[in-house]
Amino acid sequence: PHYETDRTDAVRGTFPCVHQREDILEELYTIVDMGGKVIDVTVEHSYYGALKGSLWVESRRDADEFVEKLTASDSEPLSNLTGGVHLHTVEAPDKKRLQQIWEALEKKGFIVK
């Protein structure tokens, strides 16, 4: 088979977020519905320092599967360690889209001021 190299001008940004567990899907849907990808989640633990988990959520289906697996494993999201505060690396096709995603999350109260 012949494989094409993924050449993209995508940009990434770090988004400081806060929300409760029940808002995970709304946060992820907001990002992917606008063409973004959620690469990872990081929390800053007072003792351990930065704890990071890979997510690679780029569709509603990915978001649904993430929440289903989290629930089925009886695990808590990393953000529970920090009162809901966490960072996401978000990728978008360009800076304008990244800014639009930020603004949409901010409007919903998910961006830490």
Side-chain angles (χ1 to χ4, degrees):
H2 174 71
Y3 296 98
E4 295 282 329
T5 303
D6 183 22
R7 304 204 80 161
T8 179
D9 293 327
V11 295
R12 289 185 178 181
T14 301
F15 287 43
C17 298
V18 63
H19 58 75
Q20 300 305 312
R21 182 183 180 132
E22 59 268 15
D23 297 318
I24 292 174
L25 271 180
E26 184 177 357
E27 177 198 46
L28 296 175
Y29 284 174
T30 300
I31 295 167
V32 301
D33 285 353
M34 297 184 74
K37 296 177 186 176
V38 186
I39 307 302
D40 56 34
V41 60
T42 304
V43 296
E44 191 63 40
H45 192 272
S46 60
Y47 181 74
Y48 294 109
L51 301 174
K52 183 181 282 194
S54 293
L55 296 182
W56 293 101
V57 173
E58 51 189 297
S59 68
R60 280 183 173 240
R61 181 177 180 173
D62 290 346
D64 291 340
E65 288 176 359
F66 169 74
V67 171
E68 287 169 13
K69 287 177 184 175
L70 188 65
T71 302
S73 70
D74 202 28
S75 297
E76 293 296 325
L78 280 178
S79 60
N80 275 15
L81 296 172
T82 54
V85 177
H86 57 286
L87 301 171
H88 281 303
T89 302
V90 176
E91 184 177 282
D94 52 52
K95 287 181 183 179
K96 181 179 179 184
R97 184 76 56 89
L98 201 62
Q99 181 63 36
Q100 290 169 338
I101 294 169
W102 176 285
E103 291 167 3
L105 290 172
E106 190 173 43
K107 187 175 182 181
K108 293 182 181 201
F110 292 154
I111 295 292
V112 175
K113 301 282 183 185

